[in-house]
């Protein structure tokens, strides 16, 4: 519940939460924040090891990056790895989520590739159609006099 609903560990100290748990099972003893954190840390380590082992099985993966802003105006960045299993099932793994510092634009690309490099061997990477297309845009467009949109060349 805490992970699924993104609840803070302090929920175990809330009177309403404890009353709800007592209503469900009067014999259940709610763990302390410290005990809960230790359990979550262990689960995280096992899940991370399983994810790394899972990714090592595939010859190709696709990465997506998503940025959003919370209601408190905190910026978040998540990088997700997508792959197709031997059973032809599309699967995804969240590689990381963080509140990113704002690096200079030339460092931003290196940061994303650094994350990729830390999880996927170089021979497993293939350029995406999107990044290949983006590289071609400047070659295929010419500026229009008067500041209008660029014209696409043959």
């Amino acid at each position: 519940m805490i992970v699924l609903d993104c609840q803070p560990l302090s929920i175990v100290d809330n009177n309403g939460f404890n009353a709800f748990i007592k209503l469900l099972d009067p014999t259940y003893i709610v763990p302390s924040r410290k005990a809960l954190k230790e359990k979550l840390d262990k689960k995280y380590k096992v899940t991370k090891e399983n994810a790394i082992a899972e990714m090592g099985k595939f010859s190709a993966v696709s990465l997506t990056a998503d940025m959003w802003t919370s209601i408190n105006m905190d910026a978040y960045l998540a990088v997700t790895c997508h792959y197709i299993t031997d059973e032809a099932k599309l699967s995804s793994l969240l590689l990381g989520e963080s509140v990113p510092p704002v690096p200079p634009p030339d460092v931003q690309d290196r940061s994303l590739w650094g994350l990729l490099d830390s999880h996927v061997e170089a021979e497993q990477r293939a350029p995406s159609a999107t990044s290949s297309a983006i590289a071609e845009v400047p070659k295929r467009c010419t500026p229009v006099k008067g500041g209008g949109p660029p014209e696409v060349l043959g």
Side-chain angles (χ1 to χ4, degrees), residues 46-97:
V46 169
T47 301
K48 180 179 177 180
E49 289 169 4
N50 290 342
I52 291 170
E54 181 78 9
M55 284 179 39
K57 297 177 186 176
F58 303 102
S59 60
V61 298
S62 175
L63 294 180
T64 56
D66 185 23
M67 289 191 77
W68 68 94
T69 306
S70 74
I71 196 165
N72 297 330
M73 300 305 291
D74 295 321
Y76 290 89
L77 168 68
V79 178
T80 307
C81 174
H82 309 276
Y83 56 94
I84 298 176
T85 67
D86 293 335
E87 296 81 29
K89 178 184 171 203
L90 178 62
S91 294
S92 299
L93 293 169
L94 179 63
L95 296 182
E97 177 184 318

Side-chain angles (χ1 to χ4, degrees), residues 2-154:
I2 290 174
V3 173
L4 182 65
D5 294 332
C6 297
Q7 295 294 321
L9 297 179
S10 62
I11 195 172
V12 299
D13 298 328
N14 294 352
N15 292 334
F17 178 78
N18 283 299
F20 177 68
I21 296 299
K22 290 279 184 225
L23 185 68
L24 293 175
D25 183 356
T27 63
Y28 183 75
I29 298 171
V30 177
S32 68
R33 274 194 264 182
K34 183 179 177 182
L36 196 54
K37 183 181 181 312
E38 289 171 1
K39 287 181 182 185
L40 287 173
D41 285 343
K42 286 179 187 175
K43 181 69 173 173
Y44 169 78
K45 288 176 184 173
V46 169
T47 301
K48 180 179 177 180
E49 289 169 4
N50 290 342
I52 291 170
E54 181 78 9
M55 284 179 39
K57 297 177 186 176
F58 303 102
S59 60
V61 298
S62 175
L63 294 180
T64 56
D66 185 23
M67 289 191 77
W68 68 94
T69 306
S70 74
I71 196 165
N72 297 330
M73 300 305 291
D74 295 321
Y76 290 89
L77 168 68
V79 178
T80 307
C81 174
H82 309 276
Y83 56 94
I84 298 176
T85 67
D86 293 335
E87 296 81 29
K89 178 184 171 203
L90 178 62
S91 294
S92 299
L93 293 169
L94 179 63
L95 296 182
E97 177 184 318
S98 66
V99 178
V102 182
D106 66 317
V107 176
Q108 290 175 4
D109 289 339
R110 291 193 311 242
S111 297
L112 287 174
W113 282 112
L115 181 60
L116 172 63
D117 287 339
S118 70
H119 291 288
V120 180
E121 296 296 325
E123 59 272 6
Q124 292 178 293
R125 284 198 314 263
S128 72
T130 304
S131 63
S132 299
I134 289 171
E136 291 295 316
V137 169
K139 298 177 191 173
R140 306 225 179 234
C141 294
T142 80
V144 174
K145 290 181 183 177
E151 294 179 357
V152 177
L153 301 176

